[in-house]
Amino acid sequence: ISKLKEELARYHYPPPYRAYQPPPYLPNGKFFVRVYQGMNFEREVWSFEEFFISHEWGFGGPLGLTDHFSLRWEGNWWFEAGHWRFQVRTDDGARLYVDGQLVINEWRIQGATTYETTVYLTRGYHNIKLEYFEWQGLAEIRLNWYRLY
């Protein structure tokens, strides 16, 4: 059993302070999610997939984490050509990337605040990446988008 625990620990708990590595694959139409202990992606503790980002944990967090954690969502999503409004509601910090371009950068300790930006996208799949950290207290993160015209 101890050897099994060691193997699981190596799989679920990589060494701290790793450079960003892309997911093993990028899903279409959903997010690949990585959960970390530490506010700057220090120690990956789990990964999974989800279809949308809308979390209001209160004083808790994912997987029983409370305070000082971070998450990264990344996936490819289909868009029709046009101007798209992206909205991020965060408590504490968030960064949103569209096709590798930083479009919202609010990486700081703050209460729940909503940020918006407009991006022109061509028809096709586009990479969406959202990074989030929680310092302490209430924890919330949401991402929405809709086509303007």
Side-chain angles (χ1 to χ4, degrees), residues 72-86:
R72 182 180 284 128
W73 292 263
E74 190 168 6
N76 295 314
W77 294 83
W78 180 267
F79 291 86
E80 291 296 328
H83 290 88
W84 290 80
R85 171 75 41 90
F86 288 85

Side-chain angles (χ1 to χ4, degrees), residues 18-29:
R18 294 186 317 163
Y20 169 74
Q21 296 179 5
Y25 68 97
L26 285 176
N28 291 331

Side-chain angles (χ1 to χ4, degrees), residues 21 47 70 100 124 141 147:
Q21 296 179 5
S47 62
S70 49
I141 184 68
R147 188 173 177 197

Side-chain angles (χ1 to χ4, degrees), residues 10-108:
R10 273 199 297 267
Y11 179 76
H12 289 292
Y13 300 101
Y17 308 111
R18 294 186 317 163
Y20 169 74
Q21 296 179 5
Y25 68 97
L26 285 176
N28 291 331
K30 58 186 167 182
F31 289 103
F32 185 86
V33 187
R34 289 181 168 168
V35 181
Y36 300 83
Q37 289 178 332
M39 298 187 310
N40 202 24
F41 314 105
E42 285 89 351
R43 183 176 177 193
E44 186 176 333
V45 295
W46 197 252
S47 62
F48 57 95
E49 294 177 355
E50 66 183 2
F51 290 98
F52 55 90
I53 303 168
S54 182
H55 300 285
E56 191 171 348
W57 291 292
F59 288 98
L63 305 169
L65 296 172
T66 57
D67 299 333
H68 308 287
F69 61 86
S70 49
L71 288 94
R72 182 180 284 128
W73 292 263
E74 190 168 6
N76 295 314
W77 294 83
W78 180 267
F79 291 86
E80 291 296 328
H83 290 88
W84 290 80
R85 171 75 41 90
F86 288 85
Q87 297 175 323
V88 173
R89 181 164 177 82
T90 185
D91 177 351
D92 287 289
R95 291 187 290 232
L96 177 65
Y97 299 83
V98 176
D99 292 330
Q101 297 296 312
L102 183 61
V103 296
I104 293 178
N105 185 12
E106 298 298 338
W107 199 251
R108 57 193 168 96

